[in-house]
């Protein structure tokens, strides 16, 4: 886990730096409100470091300047979108880079099917099985896009949030008992666990599971009457959007029943966390977390550790800063 965390921080800085270096944005400001560079060479990098994470920097920036803001990474202009309404004017934050990867992986699968190569790669192992091209594509993406770390943190946060609400935990137990009884969980029964899915959706939202996504503005565009110059890096402040009170009533409350409303599920889908826009690694994470909860909740009561304060670490995937502990008791 520590190795991945170090990799995640390093990768994020390298990725942003590489994009801005290879695709330099216009130095000309576009009239979008935000910060002027605090350092001629580093732009607002000192402000980001002082905020502890890019997510926390964006939270403060959007609180001060509104849902559309700009800042400088070195000498390059960066624009951040912080509301679902603005996101609708742009693109889906999770889906497009996944579409680009799909095209590449489909091409590689086609090239390597039925052929022998000196170097054996992961796709070759999948091709040896009786899997469809779509299954090979999704399995490859799951293991290529940090699917395991997303799954681990979704499970961690789901269990933790259940300890904070006895009512939610009891409602989940009742659904599990009604749908599953004492029998095993199956794919067909997973589809019937509607409240469990609401618990996981609310976990993603409350934990801000993936707080930031990004897209290069390949052509000049407009959002909310503002021009975004060509080759500007556009950040999607998903962590800000997931706790925007204009989209989520009582945004800091863990409340799975908010997803009884179609509008709430639609908002989550627009952010790429559910529905037709859901990416394969999240679909995998939802399934694993459902299986885990089906075992834990049917057998155990989950309780919080008295005095434990959960502090959050914001990287590519949001995780607790320290180990998260719970206590359990056996269900009668």
């Amino acid at each position: 886990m520590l190795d991945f965390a170090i990799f995640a921080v390093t990768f994020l800085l390298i990725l942003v730096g590489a994009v801005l270096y290879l695709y330099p944005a216009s130095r000309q400001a576009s009239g979008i409100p935000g910060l002027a560079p605090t350092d001629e060479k580093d732009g607002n990098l000192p402000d980001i470091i002082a905020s502890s994470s890019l997510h926390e920097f964006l939270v403060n920036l959007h609180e001060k300047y509104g849902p559309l803001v700009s800042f400088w990474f070195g000498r390059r202009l960066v624009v951040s979108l912080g509301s679902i309404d603005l996101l609708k004017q742009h693109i889906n934050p999770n889906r497009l880079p996944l579409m680009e990867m799909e095209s590449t992986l489909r091409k590689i699968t086609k090239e390597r099917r039925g052929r022998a190569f000196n170097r054996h790669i992961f796709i070759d192992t999948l091709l040896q099985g009786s899997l469809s091209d779509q299954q090979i594509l999704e399995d490859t993406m799951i293991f290529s896009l940090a699917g395991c770390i997303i799954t681990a943190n979704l499970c961690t946060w789901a269990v933790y949030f259940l300890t904070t609400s006895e009512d939610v935990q009891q409602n989940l137990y009742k659904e599990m008992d009604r749908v599953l009884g004492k029998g095993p969980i199956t794919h067909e029964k997973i589809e019937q666990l509607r409240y469990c899915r609401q618990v996981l959706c609310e976990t993603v939202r409350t934990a801000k599971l993936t707080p930031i996504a990004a897209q290069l503005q390949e052509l000049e565009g407009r959002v909310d009457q503002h021009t975004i110059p060509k080759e500007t890096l556009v950040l999607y402040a998903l962590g800000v959007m997931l706790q925007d009170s204009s989209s989520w009533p009582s945004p800091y409350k863990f409340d799975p029943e908010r997803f009884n409303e179609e509008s709430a599920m639609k908002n989550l889908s627009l952010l790429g966390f559910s529905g037709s826009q859901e990416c394969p690694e999240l679909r995998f994470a939802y399934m694993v977390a459902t299986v885990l909860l089906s075992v834990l909740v049917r057998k155990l009561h989950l309780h919080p550790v008295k005095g434990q304060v959960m502090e959050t670490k914001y990287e590519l995937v949001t995780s607790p800063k320290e180990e998260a502990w719970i206590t359990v008791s056996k269900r009668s």
Side-chain angles (χ1 to χ4, degrees), residues 154 157-158 161 193-210 242-243 248 251 253-261 264-269 271-275 278 282 285-286 289-290 293:
L154 176 60
W157 286 115
F161 286 133
L193 295 173
R194 180 181 176 186
Y195 188 73
C196 182
R197 182 56 180 260
Q198 290 178 205
V199 168
L200 295 177
C201 287
E202 181 67 345
T203 297
V204 167
R205 191 200 68 80
T206 308
K208 306 174 288 292
L209 192 64
T210 54
L242 288 168
Q243 295 194 334
W248 316 96
K253 179 182 179 182
F254 181 72
D255 181 17
E257 294 190 7
R258 73 172 74 246
F259 288 101
N260 287 330
E261 300 293 331
M265 193 60 77
K266 184 177 180 181
N267 284 341
L268 202 67
S269 179
L271 297 176
F273 293 116
S274 184
E278 184 179 294
L282 269 174
Y286 283 136
T290 300
L293 295 182

Side-chain angles (χ1 to χ4, degrees), residues 80-99:
S80 176
L81 307 184
S83 77
I84 292 176
D85 286 339
L86 292 182
L87 187 67
K88 293 176 184 176
Q89 301 177 38
H90 209 251
I91 59 170
N92 178 276
N94 286 343
R95 192 61 189 166
L96 187 61
L98 284 169
M99 290 173 63

Side-chain angles (χ1 to χ4, degrees), residues 81-205:
L81 307 184
S83 77
I84 292 176
D85 286 339
L86 292 182
L87 187 67
K88 293 176 184 176
Q89 301 177 38
H90 209 251
I91 59 170
N92 178 276
N94 286 343
R95 192 61 189 166
L96 187 61
L98 284 169
M99 290 173 63
E100 292 171 353
M101 180 171 278
E102 282 182 14
S103 176
T104 300
L105 291 176
R106 288 187 190 278
K107 180 180 178 181
I108 294 173
T109 300
K110 184 178 179 180
E111 290 175 349
R112 299 187 76 89
R113 183 180 292 278
R115 299 176 62 188
F117 293 87
N118 292 331
R119 186 176 180 183
H120 190 86
I121 62 174
F122 179 65
I123 288 182
D124 296 328
T125 300
L126 296 178
L127 287 170
Q128 291 174 1
S130 56
L131 301 175
S132 66
D133 285 354
Q134 183 64 26
Q135 187 62 57
I136 291 173
L137 171 68
E138 294 196 359
D139 286 352
T140 305
M141 293 181 71
I142 285 168
F143 288 98
S144 300
L145 297 174
C148 293
I149 199 67
I150 289 175
T151 301
N153 280 289
L154 176 60
C155 292
T156 298
W157 286 115
V159 171
Y160 170 74
F161 286 133
L162 285 175
T163 69
T164 67
S165 176
E166 292 183 10
D167 290 341
V168 171
Q169 190 176 159
Q170 186 61 22
N171 289 338
L172 181 58
Y173 170 76
K174 289 178 180 178
E175 181 182 71
M176 294 284 189
D177 187 56
R178 174 176 54 82
V179 175
L180 303 177
K182 297 187 181 299
I185 192 168
T186 64
H187 180 74
E188 291 72 24
K189 289 184 177 180
I190 286 178
E191 298 298 321
Q192 301 175 41
L193 295 173
R194 180 181 176 186
Y195 188 73
C196 182
R197 182 56 180 260
Q198 290 178 205
V199 168
L200 295 177
C201 287
E202 181 67 345
T203 297
V204 167
R205 191 200 68 80

